[in-house]
Amino acid sequence: MRTEVMLVCVWHRVEGWAWVCWNYLMLYLLGAWYLLKELITTHKSPIGLPSQKGRVAIVTGGGRGIGLEAVKRFLQLDMTVVVAGRDVPVLEDAVAKVRSYGVQEGVAVCLDLDLTSMESVRNFVNEFETLKLPLHVLVNNAGIMFWPLDRTIDGHESHWSVNYLGHFLLTHLLMPHLTATSVTTPHSPARVVNLSSSVHYIGTINFDDVDSKKCYNAQAAYAQSKLALMMFTLSLAERYGGSEGVLVASAVHPGVVATELFQHVAWATTFPWLAHSLLKTPKQGSDTVVYCALSSEVKEGGHYYENCTPTTPSSKATRTVDQHRLWDLSCRQLGIQVFGQA
């Protein structure tokens, strides 16, 4: 009996290592393919964007990387930008740096938002409401990648909370503001841009253990969160995009970009010069985000964009049954009775 138990334990350990190795292999094969693809493909940037004076955007993770570049582009187009992040003084320093580059247009407001805390998400929305501003664009950009196992104050796995669940709650709470904007300007409905990733192609939603309580792998957790964002985008488009055009929801792969996300990627930290020579710049990474947020060419939601071009998402993301299952699970985790209603 003892021998049988030991054999079962050994088998589970081998199975676990095989799962980890498989995730590493698939991730790095996908990454190598996208690096090659981006090196041989002409990069596209949004052009001809008119002034956005009077329009308001929220950018999560707006103090660095792709988020900060999006903030800069929105300010240049004379928008009011609510820059959301975990450290307001750091956000203010980042905006000051943008201003030092000669960007004097627009208005920036920095507010605290910690996506590891659902209470912080609710507090952020309360603060936003005190500003008495409309809301035209929500960019769910903040994210983490390949972090060691960490549990949030609410008991969620960190990738699930920061990359996906916190943004699900944020969008839910801001939906009345987004839909109100769409009612007052029906010719230009509000937009939600979710920062997914090509990694969603290898992601799987573990519906029985989305918070990785039974088994954890950083690569799998990251891929799961990005697939969830992709599915969330399609669900938003289905529920709010319709013939009334209440909302234009898009998912974006910004490219393989040299940002602080790569702090847990061994080759990028060991050979930073190689990463910066091969990967896209944060400005290039922001191009598709800005395109989906503002371009008149983006007329309907429910699409996945790479390099400012609609691209076919993973077949796993388009399964309607799983989209509804994920939506219901997310609402249960957050205690949401009716999405978009307080």
Side-chain angles (χ1 to χ4, degrees), residues 24-40 198-199 202 253 256 262 267 278-279:
Y24 268 110
L25 177 63
M26 293 302 296
L27 182 76
Y28 282 101
L29 284 176
L30 182 71
W33 161 243
Y34 266 85
L35 275 177
L36 177 62
K37 181 180 177 181
E38 291 173 4
L39 286 171
I40 63 177
S198 62
V199 175
I202 62 172
H253 167 62
V256 187
F262 279 81
W267 73 266
L278 291 178
L279 308 185

Side-chain angles (χ1 to χ4, degrees), residues 96-250:
K97 189 172 183 179
V98 168
R99 295 302 193 192
S100 72
Y101 293 148
V103 179
Q104 300 305 317
E105 303 85 357
V107 176
V109 180
C110 299
L111 296 181
D112 181 76
L113 173 65
D114 182 355
L115 290 161
T116 68
S117 165
M118 298 306 120
E119 181 181 5
S120 175
V121 176
R122 292 184 172 89
N123 290 340
F124 168 84
V125 174
N126 290 337
E127 283 196 73
F128 172 74
E129 290 174 342
T130 64
L131 300 175
K132 305 298 182 183
L133 293 171
L135 180 60
H136 302 86
V137 176
L138 171 61
V139 179
N140 290 322
N141 161 77
I144 59 174
M145 186 171 73
F146 307 161
W147 276 28
L149 178 60
D150 189 25
R151 300 257 170 236
T152 70
I153 191 171
D154 302 293
H156 300 297
E157 187 277 320
S158 55
H159 292 88
W160 186 250
S161 180
V162 175
N163 295 355
Y164 170 65
L165 198 64
H167 284 128
F168 187 98
L169 177 60
L170 180 65
T171 308
H172 156 67
L173 295 172
L174 291 172
M175 189 57 68
H177 302 279
L178 293 164
T179 54
T181 295
S182 296
V183 169
T184 56
T185 57
H187 61 285
S188 181
R191 301 191 184 193
V192 174
V193 182
N194 289 325
L195 268 287
S196 183
S197 166
S198 62
V199 175
H200 90 273
Y201 284 113
I202 62 172
T204 299
I205 306 296
N206 186 350
F207 285 103
D208 297 323
D209 189 26
V210 292
D211 280 312
S212 305
K213 293 180 179 178
K214 298 176 184 176
C215 187
Y216 180 72
N217 173 259
Q219 287 70 30
Y222 177 70
Q224 174 183 249
S225 69
K226 293 302 182 179
L227 174 58
L229 271 176
M230 184 68 247
M231 295 167 71
F232 177 42
T233 304
L234 298 178
S235 293
L236 277 176
E238 176 194 354
R239 294 164 189 261
Y240 293 92
S243 58
E244 297 181 0
V246 176
L247 188 74
V248 176
S250 305

Side-chain angles (χ1 to χ4, degrees), residues 32-95:
W33 161 243
Y34 266 85
L35 275 177
L36 177 62
K37 181 180 177 181
E38 291 173 4
L39 286 171
I40 63 177
T41 303
T42 301
H43 178 78
K44 296 180 182 179
S45 298
I47 58 174
L49 297 177
S51 170
Q52 303 290 312
K53 187 176 179 62
R55 290 168 62 82
V56 179
I58 292 175
V59 181
T60 71
R64 62 181 187 178
I66 293 170
L68 182 58
E69 286 295 337
V71 167
K72 179 180 178 182
R73 304 283 284 283
F74 291 162
L75 289 174
Q76 288 173 326
L77 292 169
D78 215 6
M79 296 185 79
T80 294
V81 188
V82 178
V83 187
R86 289 188 295 177
D87 191 330
V88 170
V90 170
L91 300 179
E92 291 172 342
D93 287 345
V95 171

